[in-house]
Structure formats: C-alpha cells, structure tokens
Amino acid sequence: MIPKEHTMTFNEPASPATLVVKVGGGADIDLDAFCDDLATLIAAGRRIVLVHGGAERTNAVATALGHPPRFLTSPSGYTSRYTDRRTLEIFTMVYAGAINKELVARLQARGVNASGLSGVDGGLWRGPRKTALRAVENGRQRIVRDSYTGRVEQVNAPLLRTLLDQGYTPVLTPPALSQAGEAINVDGDRAAAATAAALGADTLLLLSNVPGLLRDYPRSASLIPTLTAAELTLSSNDYAQGRMRIKLLGAREALAGGVRRVVIGDARRPAPISAALAGAGTTITPADQPATVTP
Ligand code: ADP
C-alpha cells in the first residue's frame, strides 16, 4: 500500500513556494536597488508577490493639499491614520495611483511583468469596515465615527495564483474593499500577512527603514536576530512602539496562518530582499515552545 503522505503528494502537488515581500514607503529607501534585487530573484525563478506602503508620501501630499495627517491611538496602544473620506481619497491617490504605478514601471523597465492591483480590484482584499473606532486622546477615550478603515479578512488567492501562473508579478496596495463595497484603508503589513497566509507562502518579508526589531530602538546594535512566535507574544510590547507594534501583529497573524518564517528587515541596504532571505534582520519562526524567554 502507498503511504498516505505519498498519495497526498501525488494527488495534490504543492504549488511552487511563494514569497510575499512588503516594502515600506520611507523616503530613505532606494527603490532602484530594491527593484534590481526583485528582478534578479524573479529572473532566477522565484514566485514573488509585492505589497507596498506609502505613509510618508501620503503625509506630504495631504499636508500640501491642506488636509494634514492625523493619527489615532487605540486603547490597546496601536496607532493608525485617521481616515475620513477626504483622507481616503488622498490615500488612494498616493498608494494606488502614484506609488503603485511608479513601482510597476520600475519593474517593467527591468523586464519584470509587474501588474499593479489595489485591494479593491477583483475584490482582492475584503473585510469589514470599522465604522466606530475607540481612540485615546489626552488620556480620554472617544469614539471616532467617520472612519474609512478596516481589516482584511478574505484574500482572492485564485486571482493572485492566476497572475503568478501566467508569469505576472502582482504589486499590491491598500485600499481594500469593505463588505458594503467601499474602499477602506487597511494596514499594509497585516494585509501582506493575510496574503502570505492565503497563498500558503513559505516566507513573508516585512522590509522598512530599520535593521529589524530593535530591543532598544533606535540603537542598531540592539537588533534581535531571531525570535519565536511565543517569545514575540511574551515580550514584543515591551520594546516595540508605534508602527512596529502593528508590524509584529502582522508577523503573528502570518505565522498563525501557516507561514513558516517572517523576516523583519532593512529595505535601505543593497540587495535588501536577498539579504533578508539570507537572515539579515529579525527572523521570526512559529515554534510553539520558546527556546529562551525574553525578559
Ligand atoms: P513602514 O511604513 O516603512 O513599513 P513603519 O514606519 O510602519 O515602517 O515601521 C517601522 C518603524 O517602527 C520604524 O521606523 C521605527 O520608528 C518604529 N519602531 C518602534 N519601535 C521599534 C523597535 N523596537 N525596533 C524597530 N523599529 C521600531
């Protein structure tokens, strides 16, 4: 008799391992170096889905348009962009317009058949809009009601697989689509995590403008090279502040969704994707039992 695992391998060939890369929108990130590296990896046969951010540029454009950015802090300490209807318009213009098309063009110039999609297109990222947000301001809680934000609950993985199978490299960006068919601002790191989980990706890279998770931010020498998901749960809130806390939440969600490795790495270095794949940055793995408990 054929052992069960062999039958399964035979009947259900695993689709080729996919890599999901999220790149932040920091002004100090060299997108040419990033795209050179991506093009080299794709030419070598890697299946890659790219997700990008754009927070800094959105802040600058919003300020120039007379609608400066505002940020909300939730009672549990997560910060997010206050997104009213006007902010959503500006956000969509910058993320899904300017930055997405610039990245696609840069990749096309390098022979990568990149195809840009926002989470709205093809219902790629769907989830509930959170119409009432609790925020803490000056130590007091208040409810924010005119918010176009939410979170990704469903990923149209067949659409991404179709593109990948045909040789396209998907370049993804918020906004996502609410259940009522509205565009909503969602966190890019968490959307990338949901995408990696839905595609059964083996690795998720979260690349931004820091060397990785720092125990003593901003001291680079305090980089934490490896962590397990359990250690992350126990200790991350002690040293991660602001946006890094949401990145770590994304990392936890990806691992819980079956992704085998999340690397928080530096997008500013030469060949940033290859470096993160080789272990530069903070590598987080799903082992149930922490090897050491971080104080
Ligand atoms: P991006 O928008 O490029 O994805 P974010 O701004 O969301 O990146 O997250 C990275 C930021 O998190 C860093 O620029 C840094 O200011 C902040 N941060 C807070 N605590 C830490 C920490 N312990 N280690 C590293 N970065 C941290």
Side-chain angles (χ1 to χ4, degrees):
M1 205 177 97
I2 303 167
K4 189 159 180 271
E5 60 270 27
H6 288 193
T7 333
M8 282 183 66
T9 313
F10 183 77
N11 290 338
E12 300 166 32
S15 53
T18 306
L19 169 66
V20 176
V21 182
K22 156 78 184 357
V23 63
D28 47 359
I29 295 172
D30 181 353
L31 285 178
D32 284 315
F34 177 86
C35 289
D36 284 346
D37 195 20
L38 194 77
T40 304
L41 289 163
I42 285 170
R46 296 271 335 207
R47 254 165 99 91
I48 302 182
V49 172
L50 179 62
V51 180
H52 65 83
E56 274 188 35
R57 185 111 157 245
T58 300
N59 295 348
V61 172
T63 303
L65 291 174
H67 195 73
R70 282 174 55 196
F71 294 90
L72 302 174
T73 303
S74 74
S76 44
Y78 291 101
T79 42
S80 64
R81 180 185 298 279
Y82 168 62
T83 309
D84 59 3
R85 191 174 273 282
R86 178 76 178 129
T87 303
L88 181 75
E89 271 174 31
I90 298 167
F91 175 91
T92 304
M93 198 166 85
V94 175
Y95 277 71
I99 298 181
N100 189 266
K101 298 314 144 200
E102 283 169 19
L103 265 172
V104 168
R106 267 193 170 93
L107 290 168
Q108 287 284 349
R110 288 162 173 82
V112 174
N113 207 353
S115 180
L117 283 176
S118 82
V120 170
D121 299 291
L124 175 68
W125 289 335
R126 286 180 195 269
R129 174 182 166 202
K130 222 173 175 184
T131 43
L133 290 182
R134 277 195 298 155
V136 182
E137 237 171 19
N138 304 323
R140 294 180 58 171
Q141 278 199 27
R142 68 181 186 97
I143 304 284
V144 178
R145 294 200 184 273
D146 56 347
S147 166
Y148 287 83
T149 57
R151 118 190 103 79
V152 176
E153 266 185 6
Q154 266 179 294
V155 176
N156 186 347
L159 171 58
L160 296 177
R161 285 202 191 98
T162 303
L163 288 170
L164 288 163
D165 289 347
Q166 296 300 317
Y168 292 98
T169 296
V171 180
L172 313 182
T173 181
L177 192 64
S178 78
Q179 279 135 350
E182 303 146 314
I184 48 173
N185 178 2
V186 293
D187 178 67
D189 292 307
R190 294 180 73 192
T195 304
L199 287 174
D202 57 346
T203 301
L204 167 66
L205 305 182
L206 299 175
L207 305 182
S208 71
N209 59 354
V210 279
L213 177 61
L214 306 176
R215 191 179 298 277
D216 178 21
Y217 175 79
R219 212 167 51 82
S220 305
S222 69
L223 175 74
I224 299 170
T226 56
L227 266 179
T228 65
E231 288 172 313
L232 189 60
T233 308
L234 284 176
S235 60
S236 61
N237 282 355
D238 296 344
Y239 34 78
Q241 300 114 35
R243 293 275 318 134
M244 182 50 75
R245 290 182 69 166
I246 297 182
K247 240 180 239 311
L248 297 182
L249 181 61
R252 280 206 292 273
E253 288 170 345
L255 295 169
V259 175
R260 278 188 295 231
R261 173 172 66 138
V262 179
V263 183
I264 297 181
D266 200 337
R268 301 165 304 175
R269 56 187 295 159
I273 305 170
S274 304
L277 284 171
T282 302
T283 300
I284 310 165
T285 51
D288 291 337
Q289 295 300 319
T292 53
V293 175
T294 314

